[in-house]
Amino acid sequence: MSESQTTFIMVKPDGVKRQLVDEIIRRFESIGLTLIGRRDITPSLELAETHYGIHKERPFFSEVVDFITSGQVVAMAWKGENAISEARKLIGATNWEEAEPGTIRADFARSIEENVIHGSDGEDTALFELELWFPDGLEI
Ligand code: CMP
């Protein structure tokens, strides 16, 4: 079933430093999604900890928070048919070594932490993340 959705996508500091943002945007446009929000920011500790709150008890929590607060990220809202699952397909598996060839992570990630990009993993997560990163609202 096809459904219009909006998903939250973040190019992480490694992707920004390596100037991958334009290429990543091109790939999202090529699957027919529309960019409806963008913020280029260095996340605060509070924002990063809230974003990754679900992983609070995991051993990598402090590392992943340190990593995404280490520089500028590009937070984006992408809208379109089945945007959440279509974006996840384009991004590839969290573990870059398991990512399908041609996905963003297979092409660019260098480790499980430096995996270039984050994408919401479901509808509830997308709503939570969009509200967190776009507190002034979006036309979703
Ligand atoms: P992301 O999709 O942003 O969600 C959680 C992040 O934690 C993940 O991508 C990885 O960048 C990072 N991470 C670091 N170590 C691990 C791990 N062992 N398992 C899962 N995610 C990890």
Side-chain angles (χ1 to χ4, degrees), residues 10 12 51-52 54-55 58-61 63-65 67-68 88 91-95 105 111-121 129:
M10 167 178 51
K12 300 184 185 183
H51 173 80
Y52 280 127
I54 196 162
H55 297 303
R58 309 279 288 272
F60 57 84
F61 178 69
E63 272 169 45
V64 77
V65 167
F67 178 54
I68 70 151
R88 298 276 294 182
I91 289 171
T94 304
N95 184 347
R105 284 173 173 158
S111 70
I112 194 159
E113 182 172 273
E114 296 199 15
N115 65 0
V116 178
I117 188 165
H118 165 87
S120 305
D121 63 7
E129 293 174 349

Side-chain angles (χ1 to χ4, degrees), residues 68-122:
I68 70 151
T69 54
S70 69
Q72 204 172 71
V73 304
V74 179
M76 295 180 283
W78 286 91
K79 184 173 183 169
E81 292 304 305
N82 300 325
I84 298 169
S85 58
E86 291 302 311
R88 298 276 294 182
K89 271 192 247 162
L90 186 67
I91 289 171
T94 304
N95 184 347
W96 63 307
E97 289 169 321
E98 291 167 8
E100 289 281 310
T103 60
I104 292 170
R105 284 173 173 158
D107 288 348
F108 301 118
R110 290 177 167 165
S111 70
I112 194 159
E113 182 172 273
E114 296 199 15
N115 65 0
V116 178
I117 188 165
H118 165 87
S120 305
D121 63 7

Side-chain angles (χ1 to χ4, degrees), residues 5-41:
Q5 296 176 328
T6 302
T7 190
F8 174 73
I9 300 296
M10 167 178 51
V11 181
K12 300 184 185 183
D14 55 332
V16 174
K17 286 192 186 108
R18 290 166 59 202
Q19 300 187 313
L20 297 174
V21 175
D22 290 348
E23 168 65 18
I24 288 169
I25 287 177
R26 194 189 62 70
R27 290 190 185 200
F28 275 83
E29 286 172 342
S30 79
I31 62 164
L33 299 183
T34 304
L35 183 64
I36 61 160
R38 171 175 174 163
R39 289 179 71 206
D40 293 37
I41 54 167

Side-chain angles (χ1 to χ4, degrees), residues 50-54 123-133:
T50 308
H51 173 80
Y52 280 127
I54 196 162
E123 288 187 48
D124 293 346
T125 323
L127 277 181
F128 171 76
E129 293 174 349
L130 289 165
E131 278 176 26
L132 178 67
W133 290 84

